[in-house]
């Protein structure tokens, strides 16, 4: 029996965090921002069927980036928890804080449990109150940290560029149209370029205090979105992202070897790890291209 | 909330497991004590222990469906409540009215409401009207044991069928039998009189307002001959609960709207106590 390598706990946690963070930042950004009548959530998502933003309860919404199957799992758990609590007690007893707490515990336990792969997700749990000052946006990271965000929050890929744009342009207390415009413009920001995201590729939803129904969650249709956005110039769709293929249930192994990416399926020119005892590679290296 | 815990503090496994999009099924695995169907009663009749709800009527009109219920709950010869609500929206395009043991019926409607909302949130789409009606039948079937001890729940379900573009009505029996009704139906102790009244008053070309009036007339007739059904309470201004569902969604008519219809009906009855006369041929 071979002796396992010693890995320090710090290194182990750092590796797990790097792994999870990489999964989260590979996707497209998602923004949450407060406006006069509630909270707006928006992301670029070419898929019409697989949502990143959805309803948890009357006044609570869920948004996520990262691996679809993992956050979908968490979303369903949240719906179950919320409905269970609302049924056992009362609808008013379901709170965003309670749900965020349950998510934090779950993500934290999974992250530090050695037997499980850390979830490659980041979540927002948004909740609206009767007044704008009661609105809350909780941000949950892959290791189970909870942060209470004010005004706006960004997660996913290009989060820095998007956040920088929002810091300059976001004004508190705006109406829905203003919130949609600044959020969508922010999503189009990436290092060194600005893109106009096609309205068809956007997923936008709000928690709207002014709705008469008790359920305040509302998706904004593409038609309404176009009206709210007005004329923005030529639309440029984004290229394929790994998350799109994953979301459609198709695995798309990238054909390039990226040694820094632990999940790519190509080993390319990088030789596989040697067996520590024999010094032999465990499998034959792939033939050089052209041979 | 109990369940097997995989790790301290994290959500129990049942929450994270892939599974059914039915809330009742989920409740059955994680908290069966909250399901009405999982309760066992000591032997004997429990029929006189709790208040009973009485008459519910429903009718369709081109473009929608209306359901109305009186406001009385009785316990034997005593009026247990004068302003009970027996017609509930179950989601945006459906509603249910309840007759039978009030406590159990209200609990069943609450479970059914959660069931529909749960499905909608998890699947991202709503159930078809037939799907909703069948789910309700399953819930009623689970209550059969209690029905046999006198705690029966017999709802009436109405919904807007988006695909067919019509309003539809379903009635049930205590064993969970589900029957689609055409045009109109009534359940509860006063249902015989209400149905007789609707037979004479109902026309297929009624508009929304006419349909509401026909139902309020039917409830008046039910209250006229059935002691357990409450008529319009003019002194306290308590009037039936009326729920209208159209392609635009469902809404409960405001107190003022129903009061206006009820006042008109009562004024007519002052002239002719038996209500409007139908032609003989």
């Amino acid at each position: 029996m071979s002796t396992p390598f010693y890995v320090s706990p710090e290194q182990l946690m750092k590796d797990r965090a790097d792994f999870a963070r990489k999964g989260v930042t590979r996707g497209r950004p998602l923004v949450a921002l407060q406006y006069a009548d509630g909270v707006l959530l928006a992301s670029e998502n070419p898929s019409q069927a697989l949502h990143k933003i959805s309803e948890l309860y009357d006044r609570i919404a869920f948004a996520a980036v990262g691996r679809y199957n993992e956050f979908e799992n968490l979303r369903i758990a949240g719906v179950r928890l919320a409905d269970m609590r609302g049924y056992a007690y009362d609808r008013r007893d379901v709170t965003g804080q309670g749900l965020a707490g349950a998510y934090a515990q779950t993500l934290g336990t999974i992250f530090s449990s050695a037997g499980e792969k850390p979830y490659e997700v980041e979540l927002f749990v948004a909740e609206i109150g009767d007044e704008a000052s009661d609105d809350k946006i909780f941000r949950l990271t892959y290791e189970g940290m909870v942060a209470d965000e004010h005004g706006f929050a960004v997660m996913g890929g290009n989060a820095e560029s998007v956040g920088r744009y929002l810091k300059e342009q976001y004004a508190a207390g705006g109406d829905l149209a203003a919130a949609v415009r600044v959020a969508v413009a922010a999503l189009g920001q990436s290092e060194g370029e600005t893109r106009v995201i096609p309205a068809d590729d956007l997923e936008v939803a709000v928690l709207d205090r002014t709705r008469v129904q008790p359920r305040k969650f509302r998706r904004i249709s593409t038609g309404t979105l176009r009206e709210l956005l007005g004329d923005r110039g030529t639309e440029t769709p984004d290229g394929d992202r790994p998350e799109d293929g994953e979301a459609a249930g198709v695995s798309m192994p990238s054909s390039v070897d990226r040694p820094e990416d632990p999940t790519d399926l190509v080993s390319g020119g990088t030789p596989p790890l040697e067996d520590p005892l024999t010094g032999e590679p465990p499998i034959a290296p792939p033939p050089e291209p052209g041979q | 909330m109990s369940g097997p815990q995989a790790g301290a503090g994290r959500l129990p496994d049942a929450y994270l497991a892939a599974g059914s999009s039915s809330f009742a099924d989920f409740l059955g695995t994680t908290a069966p004590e909250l399901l009405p169907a999982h309760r066992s009663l000591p032997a004997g009749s429990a029929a006189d222990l709790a208040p009973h709800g009485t008459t519910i009527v429903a009718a369709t009109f081109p473009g929608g469906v209306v359901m109305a219920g009186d406001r009385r709950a009785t316990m034997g010869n005593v009026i247990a409540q004068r302003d009970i609500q027996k017609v509930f929206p179950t989601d945006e395009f459906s509603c249910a009215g309840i007759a039978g043991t009030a406590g159990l019926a209200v609990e069943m409607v609450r479970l059914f409401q959660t069931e529909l909302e749960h499905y909608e949130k998890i699947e991202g789409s709503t159930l078809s009207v037939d799907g909703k009606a069948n789910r309700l039948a399953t819930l009623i079937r689970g209550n059969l044991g209690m029905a046999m001890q006198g705690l029966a729940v017999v709802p009436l379900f109405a919904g807007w069928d988006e695909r067919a573009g019509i309003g539809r009505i379903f009635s049930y029996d205590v064993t969970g039998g589900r029957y689609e009704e055409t045009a109109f139906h009534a359940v509860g102790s006063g249902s015989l009189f209400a149905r007789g009244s609707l037979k004479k008053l109902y026309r297929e070309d009624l508009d929304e307002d006419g349909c509401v009036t026909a139902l309020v007339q039917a409830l008046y007739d039910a209250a006229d001959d059935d002691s357990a059904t409450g008529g319009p309470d003019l002194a306290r201004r308590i009037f039936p609960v009326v729920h209208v569902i159209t392609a635009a969604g469902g809404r409960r008519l405001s107190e003022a709207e129903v009061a206006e219809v009820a006042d008109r009906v009562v004024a007519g009855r002052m002239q002719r106590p038996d209500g409007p006369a139908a032609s003989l041929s």
Side-chain angles (χ1 to χ4, degrees):
Chain A
M1 196 187 128
S2 60
T3 323
F5 289 112
Y6 173 74
V7 183
S8 71
E10 289 85 358
Q11 186 60 43
L12 187 71
M13 283 304 159
K14 193 181 160 297
D15 287 351
R16 290 173 77 89
D18 283 348
F19 169 73
R21 194 176 310 120
K22 212 167 287 163
V24 169
T25 50
R26 208 178 293 144
R28 297 191 172 88
L30 190 148
V31 301
L33 55 90
Q34 290 174 259
Y35 71 104
D37 295 328
V39 175
L40 174 107
L41 297 155
S43 180
E44 184 175 7
N45 181 6
S47 166
Q48 300 294 311
L50 303 166
H51 297 301
K52 291 182 179 177
I53 303 166
S54 42
E55 173 186 16
L56 281 183
Y57 212 63
D58 289 357
R59 294 168 163 268
I60 307 170
F62 172 97
V65 293
R67 222 170 238 286
Y68 179 78
N69 65 323
E70 291 175 351
F71 68 67
E72 176 69 2
N73 214 356
L74 290 168
R75 180 185 76 86
I76 290 176
V79 170
R80 287 176 174 160
L81 183 66
D83 280 345
M84 173 70 114
R85 201 162 282 178
Y87 182 69
Y89 302 102
D90 187 77
R91 295 194 81 89
R92 276 169 305 175
D93 298 315
V94 180
T95 60
Q97 180 139 22
L99 285 162
Y103 280 140
Q105 293 290 338
T106 305
L107 285 168
T109 316
I110 291 172
F111 180 73
S112 51
S113 133
E116 282 177 276
K117 179 189 88 63
Y119 272 20
E120 298 163 71
V121 295
E122 218 166 298
L123 317 177
F124 284 151
V125 173
E127 180 182 27
I128 54 165
D130 294 332
E131 305 285 330
S133 57
D134 302 331
D135 295 354
K136 295 187 187 87
I137 301 171
F138 297 101
R139 176 209 204 100
L140 291 122
T141 55
Y142 50 85
E143 82 270 46
M145 283 218 317
V146 194
D148 188 2
E149 304 276 358
H150 298 280
F152 64 86
V154 191
M155 59 184 179
N158 299 333
E160 268 176 36
S161 321
V162 177
R164 207 176 308 125
Y165 180 86
L166 281 174
K167 205 167 205 169
E168 288 163 14
Q169 304 290 328
Y170 171 74
D175 64 356
L176 178 62
V180 168
R181 274 196 292 271
V182 71
V184 170
L187 288 173
Q189 306 292 319
S190 56
E191 290 309 326
E193 59 165 329
T194 304
R195 197 161 54 84
V196 175
I197 300 172
D200 291 332
D201 289 355
L202 284 164
E203 179 179 359
V204 181
V206 288
L207 285 168
D208 181 354
R209 229 187 314 282
T210 59
R211 255 172 86 87
V212 279
Q213 290 93 333
R215 288 165 70 181
K216 307 293 183 193
F217 181 85
R218 177 165 65 100
R219 287 189 192 284
I220 296 184
S221 67
T222 309
T224 319
L225 204 53
R226 276 187 209 285
E227 278 170 35
L228 289 170
L229 287 169
D231 186 25
R232 298 179 298 155
T234 322
E235 296 179 339
T236 330
D238 196 9
D240 278 342
R241 294 278 188 117
E243 54 169 9
D244 299 340
E246 192 179 283
V250 187
S251 74
M252 297 198 311
S254 61
S255 53
V256 206
D257 176 38
R258 282 173 297 170
E260 78 286 356
D261 178 357
T263 60
D264 76 356
L265 300 174
V266 179
S267 64
T270 315
L273 289 175
E274 291 176 352
D275 186 295
L277 291 181
T278 61
E280 289 290 317
I283 46 165
E288 290 296 315
Q291 278 186 348
Chain B
M1 265 163 271
S2 58
Q5 298 269 332
R10 75 188 262 185
L11 282 164
D13 281 349
Y15 286 81
L16 290 159
S20 145
S21 42
S22 158
F23 180 70
D25 289 357
F26 177 67
L27 215 52
T29 52
T30 52
E33 74 279 3
L34 289 176
L35 270 186
H38 280 243
R39 255 164 244 155
S40 59
L41 288 181
S45 170
D48 300 329
L49 289 179
H52 280 242
T54 47
T55 312
I56 306 291
V57 289
T60 57
F61 64 92
V65 56
V66 186
M67 186 179 282
D70 74 309
R71 307 294 292 270
R72 182 170 290 180
T74 57
M75 261 175 91
N77 64 322
V78 174
I79 294 172
Q81 201 177 353
R82 292 177 206 288
D83 60 351
I84 190 174
Q85 182 187 351
K86 293 186 282 187
V87 175
F88 299 91
T90 46
D91 68 2
E92 202 158 341
F93 292 99
S94 69
C95 67
I98 48 162
T101 311
L104 282 178
V106 170
E107 186 183 10
M108 191 176 287
V109 167
R110 238 161 71 80
L111 180 60
F112 184 55
Q113 285 169 331
T114 313
E115 176 87 8
L116 297 185
E117 187 187 325
H118 192 75
Y119 182 94
E120 193 183 321
K121 286 192 287 200
I122 287 195
E123 297 291 323
S125 61
T126 48
L127 276 169
S128 62
V129 181
D130 299 85
K132 293 175 196 173
N134 287 337
R135 268 325 288 177
L136 186 54
T138 314
L139 297 183
I140 297 166
R141 200 166 295 131
N143 195 51
L144 181 59
M146 289 206 262
M148 289 173 72
Q149 290 181 269
L151 299 177
V153 175
V154 188
L156 189 63
F157 176 72
W160 173 253
D161 188 333
E162 275 186 298
R163 190 182 284 183
I166 51 168
R168 294 169 68 184
I169 301 171
F170 297 88
S171 70
Y172 297 88
D173 63 31
V174 287
T175 63
R178 185 208 88 163
Y179 314 98
E180 178 157 9
E181 306 292 341
T182 47
F184 60 85
H185 196 69
V187 293
S189 62
S191 60
L192 291 182
F193 311 110
R195 223 178 297 164
S197 172
L198 279 172
K199 267 187 191 170
K200 301 293 170 244
L201 293 176
Y202 182 81
R203 318 259 183 284
E204 270 161 9
D205 58 351
L206 286 175
D207 59 359
E208 179 186 321
D209 202 37
C211 199
V212 171
T213 310
L215 291 182
V216 173
Q217 290 277 16
L219 283 176
Y220 191 104
D221 281 323
D224 210 17
D225 290 312
D226 172 38
S227 62
T229 304
D233 189 336
L234 296 173
R236 296 190 183 81
R237 307 296 290 167
I238 299 171
F239 299 110
V241 174
V242 182
H243 199 84
V244 181
I245 303 170
T246 62
R251 71 186 184 102
R252 179 181 165 176
L253 294 194
S254 69
E255 293 284 332
E257 283 171 290
V258 184
E260 196 263 320
V261 177
D263 282 338
R264 222 176 330 123
V265 168
V266 173
R269 301 273 173 155
M270 294 289 184
Q271 307 303 317
R272 193 172 186 283
D274 290 339
S279 77
L280 280 178
S281 55

